[in-house]
Amino acid sequence: MTDSSPAPTRRRARVRAPELIGKGGWLNTGGKQYGLADLRGRIVILDFWTFCCVNCLHVLDELRELEDKHRDTVVVIGVHSPKFVHEAEHQAVIDAVERYGVEHPVLDDPELATWKQYAVRAWPTLVVIDPEGYVVAQHAGEGHVHAIERLVTELEAEHAAKGTLRRGDGPYVAPEPEPTVLRFPGKAVLLPSGNFLVSDTTRHQLVELEADGESVVRRIGSGVRGLSDGTADTAAFNEPQGLALLDDGSVVVADTVNHALRRLDLTSGEVTTFAGTGRQWMQGDATSGPGREVNLSSPWDVAWWQGKVWIAMAGVHQLWTYDPADGTVSVAAGTTNEGLVDGPLAEAWFAQPSGLAATPDRLWLADSETSALRWVDPDGTVHTAVGTGLFDFGHRDGAAEQALFQHPLGVTALPDGSVAVSDTYNHALRRYDPTTGEVTTLATDLREPSDAVLVGDDIVVVESARHRLTRLRLPEEAVRVEAVAHRTQRAATDVAPGRLRLDVIFQAPAGQKLDTRYGPSTRLLVSSTPPELLVDGEGAGTDLSRALELNPAVPEGVLHVSAMAASCDDDPSNEYPACHVHQQDWGVPVRLTESGTDRLPLVLAGLDA
């Protein structure tokens, strides 16, 4: 006789899930509005995301397999919670949902109402709600889907036995496709023939257009999301972005969601892979080696400079290089910490570099999450021309020290030594002149420009959200715009001056334990803006809890916290257990007040008891 009763489940905290509220309403539901009561009986995964955030895009891709495998029991709800002003525009959210192939319902929450109800502090954050409407887990950052998958399996068994699991089709309704020539194009390059090659990102293709920028010569790629080499008809891409012409006449492609670099032979149309494995780089992976053996992370743009292909590795906030002479890749700049720090290549911090442009004496880059324009010198030093950090952005011309961009994705070198910046979320083309140190506006009323190509006296702009290339005459005079400045709109946490207990909550997933075989398996890095906010507690350590001392003379600021924990399968019989790294960066706005809290909990994985 066999025992058919379900396996015992772990005792979990039961916290009633707050209602889902969003002024923008619901997308991908065929116009129907939903509440938690409509989802009772299903396992609900809330994905708090914003479309500027590359880590959020990673999570969208991580969730695809789980959604497909558990389609009749799990409902994923994207809760769009904007960082930038542009991301609070409803049409921009509609565009992003299509652009990134989001195949689940999305609640547009421009005022962060649901974000606040769930006490979310970071993008991305995943919250799991059981079929009875209770929150059972929360995870900040990416790389948690393996743990959520295990929890989902437990919840399925537990609630099937209780009779509280409801199976069936979910609320997702696919939108109607639009018949445009391009769909959310990302980048473009001018070919020797005078034609343009454009990354047709959402359709997973490259498109060659005639010199008019409109007539299609050919399409490269099957149009089906995938990673395979072959002919123009059979090769597969996955949301390709950056393009660069190489000395041999071929084109290198940043195949972003495939975490790969591809090569297009313009004559034959043949596509091959010369860097990346198709897997995303994670902490602990190799940082150099043969191109086909090293993992990459969301390469967003590429440029040929100093005999190598430079790669804007948006997914890990670094610059990498590919050396065609020996076929190797390696990290060139950045620490993987997200922020704006200048200096030697190995010590610089970047924040989602997304656009590159090379001149003989500078490699320019658009550092999107800091809304910054930066450059690298041939001697290996990183400088910032425009931008101050992760939280300040806007549309303001004038002296570079006070000028503002809003999440720029592209940069283009101009003949006079200045650069044009595709100021994406300001819907503008801007110009920075290093000779005068001035920022001006060249054109407005562009829709999410993501790149631009110089063609004689004209500049051809990739208008991503208008699905087209737009030709402009380079103006002799700047366009006058009304200056506007913004800061990221998140409510500050009231904390008491003096001693503050920082607790990063991490509970290893079921069946796993902290990996201590080679020393401490956790890491905590703390800093602040302004630096004077922290009297004590700054720096790196291995304990996920720390006593901070806040300066009572600094009324407000931001605490920057980066945490990492490594866990492995807890099976003594397995000589080679599977291990996972959990990592997240937080920027927590704080306001010092005598009535504030003396403890700041940040959930990496689990629930704060």
Side-chain angles (χ1 to χ4, degrees):
M1 180 178 174
T2 59
D3 182 4
S4 60
S5 60
T9 57
R10 293 178 299 159
R11 186 178 182 87
R12 298 189 193 90
R14 289 171 65 82
V15 179
R16 178 63 71 181
E19 189 51 87
L20 304 178
I21 306 165
K23 191 175 181 180
W26 289 82
L27 306 177
N28 281 357
T29 62
K32 183 174 179 180
Q33 306 298 300
Y34 280 88
L36 280 177
D38 302 308
L39 305 172
R40 196 61 48 82
R42 312 298 292 273
I43 300 163
V44 177
I45 299 173
L46 302 182
D47 175 18
F48 289 87
W49 70 299
T50 189
F51 63 79
C52 72
C53 158
V54 72
N55 310 92
C56 300
L57 305 185
H58 292 166
V59 168
L60 286 176
D61 291 308
E62 290 175 359
L63 286 170
R64 294 185 200 278
E65 186 176 345
L66 183 147
E67 289 181 87
D68 187 58
K69 184 176 178 180
H70 300 271
R71 192 166 295 280
D72 66 334
T73 58
V74 170
V75 175
V76 176
I77 304 289
V79 182
H80 189 267
S81 314
K83 170 185 174 180
F84 290 98
V85 168
H86 169 59
E87 293 173 312
E89 296 176 17
H90 186 61
Q91 183 59 49
V93 181
I94 294 173
D95 289 344
V97 167
E98 181 188 351
R99 181 197 300 270
Y100 297 116
V102 180
E103 295 184 352
H104 52 245
V106 173
L107 176 64
D108 180 12
D109 182 20
E111 296 176 347
L112 302 181
T114 297
W115 165 287
K116 294 170 187 172
Q117 287 291 311
Y118 281 82
V120 174
R121 295 185 183 275
W123 296 278
T125 291
L126 295 168
V127 175
V128 182
I129 301 171
D130 74 12
E132 294 179 284
Y134 291 93
V135 174
V136 292
Q138 182 171 324
H139 300 267
E142 53 184 294
H144 297 292
V145 170
H146 70 283
I148 292 175
E149 162 96 41
R150 189 172 294 206
L151 176 57
V152 163
T153 302
E154 282 186 13
L155 291 171
E156 286 175 338
E158 176 183 340
H159 288 274
K162 291 174 66 176
T164 49
L165 184 70
R166 177 167 58 90
R167 296 180 181 270
D169 293 334
Y172 171 68
V173 177
E176 288 293 321
E178 297 284 343
T180 52
V181 172
L182 301 172
R183 203 70 192 161
F184 297 105
K187 305 285 185 180
V189 66
L190 184 66
L191 300 178
S193 64
N195 290 348
F196 296 97
L197 187 68
V198 184
S199 54
D200 198 14
T201 303
T202 298
R203 293 210 179 110
H204 316 296
Q205 290 180 319
L206 310 179
V207 180
E208 184 177 347
L209 300 175
E210 291 182 9
D212 62 8
E214 297 178 5
S215 305
V216 176
V217 177
R218 59 176 169 168
R219 293 181 178 273
I220 295 113
S222 65
V224 177
R225 188 190 294 269
L227 174 56
S228 59
D229 292 340
T231 66
D233 294 330
T234 62
F237 298 96
N238 196 343
E239 297 183 26
Q241 288 282 351
L243 306 165
L245 200 63
L246 300 182
D247 285 349
D248 64 2
S250 65
V251 173
V252 57
V253 183
D255 195 5
T256 304
V257 179
N258 275 329
H259 311 295
L261 295 188
R262 318 291 293 283
R263 177 184 181 273
L264 169 64
D265 185 310
L266 286 170
T267 303
S268 67
E270 193 80 12
V271 175
T272 52
T273 302
F274 58 56
T277 64
R279 294 184 300 276
Q280 181 186 340
W281 187 94
M282 302 297 283
Q283 289 289 344
D285 289 353
T287 55
S288 64
R292 293 297 303 273
E293 298 175 14
V294 178
N295 298 337
L296 308 181
S297 183
S298 295
W300 209 275
D301 203 5
V302 282
W304 179 256
W305 192 55
Q306 296 187 320
K308 295 181 181 180
V309 175
W310 285 69
I311 310 160
M313 203 71 78
V316 283
H317 318 299
Q318 291 181 312
L319 301 179
W320 288 45
T321 57
Y322 169 78
D323 188 344
D326 58 11
T328 59
V329 293
S330 61
V331 174
T335 63
T336 76
N337 291 319
E338 183 180 18
L340 194 154
V341 176
D342 289 339
L345 289 173
E347 299 172 15
W349 290 25
F350 301 95
Q352 220 168 291
S354 301
L356 297 174
T359 66
D361 60 344
R362 291 186 181 186
L363 178 68
W364 293 97
L365 66 110
D367 207 26
S368 61
E369 279 295 287
T370 51
S371 297
L373 173 67
R374 307 175 73 183
W375 82 88
V376 179
D377 273 342
D379 67 1
T381 305
V382 178
H383 307 264
T384 297
V386 180
T388 58
L390 287 163
F391 304 101
D392 295 296
F393 57 93
H395 191 155
R396 188 163 65 198
D397 288 335
E401 311 85 65
Q402 56 86 54
L404 294 171
F405 298 128
Q406 185 181 179
H407 197 82
L409 290 178
V411 59
T412 306
L414 301 180
D416 63 358
S418 67
V419 289
V421 177
S422 295
D423 193 5
T424 309
Y425 289 2
N426 280 328
H427 310 301
L429 190 68
R430 313 282 295 283
R431 176 177 178 265
Y432 168 70
D433 186 343
T435 303
T436 64
E438 292 286 312
V439 174
T440 53
T441 297
L442 298 176
T444 56
D445 193 32
L446 301 167
R447 187 70 187 170
E448 291 193 16
S450 54
D451 196 19
V453 180
L454 195 66
V455 185
D457 292 330
D458 295 342
I459 191 162
V460 175
V461 180
V462 180
E463 272 199 278
S464 188
R466 282 201 179 113
H467 319 292
R468 70 188 189 192
L469 302 188
T470 299
R471 185 182 292 263
L472 304 172
R473 178 63 53 134
L474 275 173
E476 294 182 5
E477 294 185 5
V479 177
R480 301 238 174 248
V481 295
E482 187 172 342
V484 60
H486 300 287
R487 283 185 64 80
T488 300
Q489 293 302 303
R490 281 183 289 161
T493 299
D494 287 339
V495 296
R499 187 182 176 87
L500 176 70
R501 181 74 179 179
L502 172 65
D503 289 326
V504 173
I505 312 301
F506 179 75
Q507 295 156 0
Q512 294 189 3
K513 65 178 181 179
L514 287 173
D515 178 21
T516 56
R517 292 172 298 166
Y518 308 107
S521 59
T522 55
R523 184 187 68 191
L524 181 65
L525 177 66
V526 180
S527 61
S528 68
T529 302
E532 296 77 21
L533 174 64
L534 273 176
V535 176
D536 190 32
E538 183 181 7
T542 58
D543 194 338
L544 291 182
S545 293
R546 185 178 301 179
L548 308 180
E549 187 75 22
L550 303 183
N551 187 348
V554 179
E556 61 181 21
V558 178
L559 290 175
H560 306 284
V561 180
S562 177
M564 185 275 289
S567 62
C568 296
D569 289 344
D570 187 11
D571 183 357
S573 65
N574 185 355
E575 187 177 354
Y576 302 104
C579 297
H580 303 274
V581 175
H582 314 257
Q583 184 172 5
Q584 177 59 26
D585 297 329
W586 292 267
V588 183
V590 295
R591 181 172 51 236
L592 272 62
T593 173
E594 291 297 337
S595 60
T597 182
D598 62 359
R599 177 176 179 264
L600 177 62
L602 300 175
V603 178
L604 179 59
L607 292 173
D608 180 20

